[in-house]
């Protein structure tokens, strides 16, 4: 029984193993078998979700598990029961619990403070670890590798960007260039952790707050400017973000690059329709890969992985 609350909960070998397994499942989902047969997976989402909730629900079913779904108003958390008590009770009835809160990851740590039920972070305010697993699965499937890839990320240093930084820097030779609007960069603690990973793996991570001298890349990545559960105090924030929009002009220096987006997308804001719906976009394949990476994560959490 293992938990996946942060990517830093994984060793380098575990991270690579989960991505490799997800890539295998993406090639041939019939290889899943039924490793979670007889188990029950809870799906608790207090925030909206299309891809992640469906990925874990369908993924658990494909692995042979049964699921119990909870919405934001379904648990006694709303009447004052503590997170720890909720986790303790659910652990007597569930084998795993997939949780999206867009809140403090400490809440998930409290739910994980028991010895029966795996807890999976399907998004907290600081990190979206299973999104990064889907991202790496998509890159590995497209390029046949993650090592050595060059990724240009444009937009807010949000939880998806944080997860990407914490994951990609653990693959040797990778280069992650983040161009974030002034005042909307990565959390300094996350950036420090990612730089530590990069130093160990001979990879690199650079964050700048302008669009000058963009490097050539293999992947152009962006996310929605207003992510789930967040607001911006600056009423003029769209003006600040506007220069960081993904347009076809970015392909002048990287004609073979692919485009990725964690979705949902707002065409005309963070990305033009021409790019999102164009020949270089693999954003919807990336969305499908959320299911395969969810399956691989569940296998790992339940100790049913190949290791």
């Amino acid at each position: 029984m293992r938990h996946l609350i942060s990517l830093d909960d994984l060793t380098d070998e575990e991270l690579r193993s989960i991505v490799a397994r997800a890539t295998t499942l993406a090639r041939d989902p019939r290889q899943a078998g039924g490793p979670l047969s007889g188990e029950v997976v809870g799906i608790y989402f207090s925030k909206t979700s299309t891809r992640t909730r469906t990925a874990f629900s369908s993924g658990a079913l494909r692995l042979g598990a049964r699921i119990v779904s909870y919405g934001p108003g379904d648990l006694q958390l709303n009447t004052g029961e503590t997170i720890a008590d909720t986790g303790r009770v659910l652990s007597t009835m569930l084998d795993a619990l997939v949780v999206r809160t867009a809140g403090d990851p400490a809440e998930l740590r409290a739910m994980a403070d028991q010895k029966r039920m795996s807890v999976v972070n399907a998004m907290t305010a600081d990190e979206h670890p299973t999104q990064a697993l889907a991202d790496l699965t998509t890159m590995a499937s497209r390029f046949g590798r993650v090592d050595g890839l060059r990724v240009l990320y444009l937009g807010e240093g949000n939880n998806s960007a944080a997860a990407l930084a914490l994951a990609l820097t653990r693959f040797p030779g990778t280069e992650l260039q983040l161009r974030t609007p002034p005042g909307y960069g990565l959390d300094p603690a996350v950036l420090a952790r990612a730089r530590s990973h990069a130093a160990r793996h001979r990879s690199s991570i650079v964050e700048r707050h302008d669009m000058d001298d963009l490097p050539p890349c293999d992947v152009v990545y962006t996310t929605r400017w207003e992510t789930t559960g967040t607001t911006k105090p600056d009423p003029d924030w769209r003006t600040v973000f506007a220069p960081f929009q993904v347009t076809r002009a970015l392909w002048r220096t990287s004609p073979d690059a692919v485009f990725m987006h964690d979705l949902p997308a707002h065409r005309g804001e963070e990305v033009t329709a021409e790019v999102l719906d164009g020949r270089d976009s693999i954003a919807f394949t990336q969305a499908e890969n959320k299911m395969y990476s969810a399956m691989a994560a569940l296998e790992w959490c339940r100790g049913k992985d190949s290791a």
Side-chain angles (χ1 to χ4, degrees):
M1 189 274 290
R2 303 156 171 157
H3 306 296
L4 177 50
I5 297 173
S6 170
L7 288 163
D8 283 349
D9 293 339
L10 302 172
T11 66
D12 294 341
E13 292 75 18
E14 288 168 337
L15 176 59
R16 282 184 168 272
S17 177
I18 292 172
V19 172
R21 175 59 172 162
T23 305
T24 297
L25 289 169
R27 285 197 302 268
D28 184 3
R30 294 171 297 179
Q31 295 190 34
L36 299 192
S37 179
E39 298 204 348
V40 181
V41 176
I43 310 289
Y44 171 48
F45 277 56
S46 65
K47 298 295 182 181
T48 57
S49 174
T50 298
R51 281 148 291 276
T52 307
R53 182 170 181 169
T54 306
F56 274 101
S57 298
S58 61
L61 290 169
R62 289 170 186 268
L63 293 171
R66 297 184 179 184
I67 63 171
V68 179
S69 295
Y70 309 99
D74 291 340
L75 299 179
Q76 295 288 6
L77 289 167
N78 292 330
T79 65
E81 184 170 31
T82 68
I83 292 282
D85 285 353
T86 299
R88 184 175 178 181
V89 169
L90 291 179
S91 73
T92 66
M93 306 176 194
L94 302 174
D95 299 291
L97 180 65
V98 181
V99 185
R100 167 172 288 192
T101 66
D104 190 336
E107 297 175 345
L108 272 63
R109 300 283 180 196
M111 280 192 168
D113 189 21
Q114 37 71 32
K115 301 188 183 300
R116 294 185 179 184
M117 178 183 72
S118 300
V119 176
V120 181
N121 178 3
M123 194 179 79
T124 48
D126 67 324
E127 190 179 335
H128 196 346
T130 61
Q131 178 63 52
L133 295 178
D135 297 342
L136 296 178
T137 298
T138 304
M139 294 177 198
S141 296
R142 176 70 180 212
F143 296 98
R145 61 186 170 86
V146 177
D147 294 359
L149 291 181
R150 304 163 299 171
V151 178
L152 172 63
Y153 175 91
L154 304 180
E156 187 173 24
N158 56 24
N159 45 23
S160 287
L164 181 65
L166 292 173
L168 189 67
T169 50
R170 294 167 71 175
F171 286 77
T174 55
E175 300 175 13
L176 176 58
Q177 179 98 193
L178 299 122
R179 297 299 181 100
T180 57
Y184 294 95
L186 276 184
D187 180 281
V190 170
L191 186 57
R193 286 159 57 197
R195 283 174 172 161
S196 178
H197 293 323
R200 288 192 299 111
H201 294 286
R202 301 182 309 280
S203 57
S204 69
I205 178 170
V206 174
E207 182 179 48
R208 288 175 51 171
H209 306 296
D210 61 71
M211 290 290 285
D212 299 329
D213 304 317
L214 293 176
C217 62
D218 303 298
V219 178
V220 178
Y221 192 130
T222 195
T223 67
R224 188 171 54 166
W225 285 347
E226 274 196 301
T227 52
T228 302
T230 66
T231 58
K232 294 178 173 56
D234 178 9
D236 197 37
W237 66 266
R238 291 182 186 277
T239 302
V240 177
F241 274 68
F244 297 85
Q245 184 187 62
V246 176
T247 69
R248 282 299 305 172
L250 294 176
W251 270 255
R252 291 172 186 161
T253 56
S254 302
D256 298 322
V258 297
F259 172 70
M260 294 176 59
H261 192 305
D262 60 356
L263 302 180
H266 285 182
R267 292 168 177 82
E269 289 194 358
E270 74 275 6
V271 60
T272 64
E274 180 185 18
V275 171
L276 181 63
D277 302 315
R279 66 181 185 276
D280 299 311
S281 176
I282 57 172
F284 290 91
T285 298
Q286 180 186 357
E288 179 184 354
N289 285 336
K290 295 198 81 166
M291 181 177 68
Y292 305 123
S293 57
M295 293 167 70
L298 285 171
E299 285 183 343
W300 178 83
C301 284
R302 299 307 302 153
K304 304 298 176 66
D305 54 312
S306 59

